[in-house]
């Protein structure tokens, strides 16, 4: 694991970053948290091996920009990430001279924070800074995909991309791209596939009415279900049942 300290004067935000974010999934572990830049700098002087610092800009005693400067001048191997409110952003660009790694705009988004530190981990891995498990980023992505698939199977009738994204703490557009890249199917294509597969199972039991099957997998109108089934399998639900569950 790479080491990280978090510097934020808001106790609630700092506690959330330390305890609620899954840092281990990005290859990092939090070794300290501080409410101002001076306390963080005192720690870094005693622990110059620290890999990264995630710090707010506006803080008492020593702000994030001054902390970035002293790190740059004394321990340039430490990677600094600034947390910036919208009003701070233009001003924070002056920190570029201190080799700040990136700006993360408040309110922090789970996927933005995760991707920023996964990218850093991959860069450090490539340079041989430490011997870590190379599959951790892939494991993180695969965990998301598995979670989405479970959600779909548990909610065939009502599943939506927006709900899946909210459960994954990702934006809908990002989850859509991620799901497509990992499964070769769009979310809607995967949902349709699973609905049609479930329909086939239900159709094999003659006690299940077609309108009941339609409703069970998310079609309010049986005609829309029959149309979708025919488009997918090239025969109607009735014909599938009459063929004893055999597809063309």
């Amino acid at each position: 694991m790479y080491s990280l300290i978090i510097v934020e004067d808001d106790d609630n935000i700092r506690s959330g970053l330390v305890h609620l974010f899954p840092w281990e999934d990005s290859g990092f572990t939090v070794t300290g948290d501080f409410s101002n830049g001076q306390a963080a700098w005192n720690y870094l002087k005693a622990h110059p091996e620290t890999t990264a610092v995630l710090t707010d800009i506006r803080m008492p005693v020593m702000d994030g920009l001054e902390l970035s400067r002293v790190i740059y001048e004394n321990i340039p191997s430490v990677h600094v990430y600034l947390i910036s409110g919208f009003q701070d952003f233009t001003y924070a660009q002056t920190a570029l001279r201190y080799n700040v790694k990136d700006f993360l705009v408040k309110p922090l988004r789970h996927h933005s924070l995760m991707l920023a530190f996964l990218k850093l981990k991959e860069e450090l891995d490539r340079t041989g800074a430490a011997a870590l498990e190379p599959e951790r980023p892939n494991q993180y992505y695969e965990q998301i995909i598995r979670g989405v698939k479970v959600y779909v199977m548990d909610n065939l009738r009502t599943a939506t991309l927006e709900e899946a994204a909210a459960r994954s703490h990702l934006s809908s557009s990002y989850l859509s791209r991620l799901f497509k890249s990992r499964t070769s199917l769009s979310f809607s294509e995967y949902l349709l596939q699973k609905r049609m597969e479930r329909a086939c199972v239900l159709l094999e039991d003659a006690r299940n009415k077609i309108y009941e099957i339609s409703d069970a997998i998310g079609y309010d109108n049986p005609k829309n279900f029959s149309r979708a089934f025919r488009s997918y399998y090239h025969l109607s639900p009735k014909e599938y049942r009459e063929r004893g569950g055999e597809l063309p």
Side-chain angles (χ1 to χ4, degrees):
M1 287 288 171
Y2 295 107
S3 57
L4 166 74
I5 67 169
I6 295 174
V7 194
E8 166 64 65
D9 62 324
D10 186 302
D11 292 341
N12 290 329
I13 295 176
R14 187 175 71 255
S15 178
L17 285 170
V18 172
H19 300 294
L20 300 181
F21 188 83
W23 289 108
E24 290 188 356
D25 289 340
S26 67
F28 285 79
T29 184
V30 177
T31 55
D33 63 279
F34 309 92
S35 60
N36 64 76
Q38 185 61 59
W41 176 236
N42 292 339
Y43 175 89
L44 288 169
K45 287 188 291 185
H47 301 86
E49 74 281 1
T50 301
T51 305
V53 174
L54 177 64
T55 178
D56 195 9
I57 292 178
R58 294 183 177 179
M59 296 181 297
V61 187
M62 179 190 287
D63 66 22
L65 294 177
E66 180 63 8
L67 177 59
S68 300
R69 183 187 68 79
V70 296
I71 291 173
Y72 175 73
E73 293 177 352
N74 295 277
I75 321 175
S77 61
V78 175
H79 301 271
V80 178
Y81 288 79
L82 284 176
I83 306 171
S84 171
F86 180 77
Q87 294 178 343
D88 297 323
F89 191 73
T90 300
Y91 179 62
Q93 293 183 54
T94 59
L96 288 171
R97 72 188 68 171
Y98 306 137
N99 202 30
V100 169
K101 194 73 175 175
D102 201 357
F103 296 101
L104 300 170
V105 179
K106 291 181 177 179
L108 290 175
R109 296 183 178 277
H110 180 283
H111 72 277
S112 297
L113 191 57
M114 177 62 73
L115 288 176
F117 280 88
L118 281 174
K119 181 179 178 181
L120 175 60
K121 178 189 180 297
E122 291 171 352
E123 292 174 1
L124 294 170
D125 285 348
R126 285 197 300 269
T127 61
L132 293 179
E133 301 172 60
E135 294 302 317
R136 288 301 291 271
N138 282 333
Q139 289 175 4
Y140 168 69
Y141 293 132
E142 291 304 321
Q143 182 178 356
I144 291 175
I145 299 303
R146 285 196 298 271
V148 171
K149 288 180 176 181
V150 169
Y151 159 72
V152 166
M153 295 306 296
D154 288 345
N155 300 273
L156 272 181
R157 189 176 183 277
T158 59
T160 65
L161 174 61
E162 291 71 23
E163 176 65 19
R167 289 170 176 248
S168 305
H169 306 288
L170 301 173
S171 70
S172 297
S173 59
Y174 179 78
L175 178 60
S176 179
R177 293 193 300 272
L178 178 64
F179 194 87
K180 178 76 170 181
S181 68
R182 295 279 163 166
T183 67
S184 299
L185 295 173
S186 68
F187 177 86
S188 60
E189 289 170 339
Y190 181 79
L191 176 59
L192 176 62
Q193 179 189 83
K194 295 306 169 184
R195 282 175 168 172
M196 293 299 104
E197 289 174 355
R198 177 70 62 82
C200 287
V201 172
L202 295 174
L203 283 166
E204 290 173 8
D205 187 337
R207 292 172 298 179
N208 293 325
K209 307 299 183 183
I210 290 179
Y211 72 86
E212 293 174 335
I213 297 172
S214 170
D215 182 69
I217 63 171
Y219 290 89
D220 294 333
N221 189 327
K223 290 183 179 179
N224 291 338
F225 161 61
S226 295
R227 189 178 299 113
F229 191 93
R230 179 181 290 278
S231 176
Y232 197 85
Y233 288 122
H234 306 293
L235 74 171
S236 70
K238 182 180 178 181
E239 289 169 339
Y240 177 84
R241 177 170 278 173
E242 290 173 347
R243 291 166 61 104
E246 292 185 6
L247 291 170

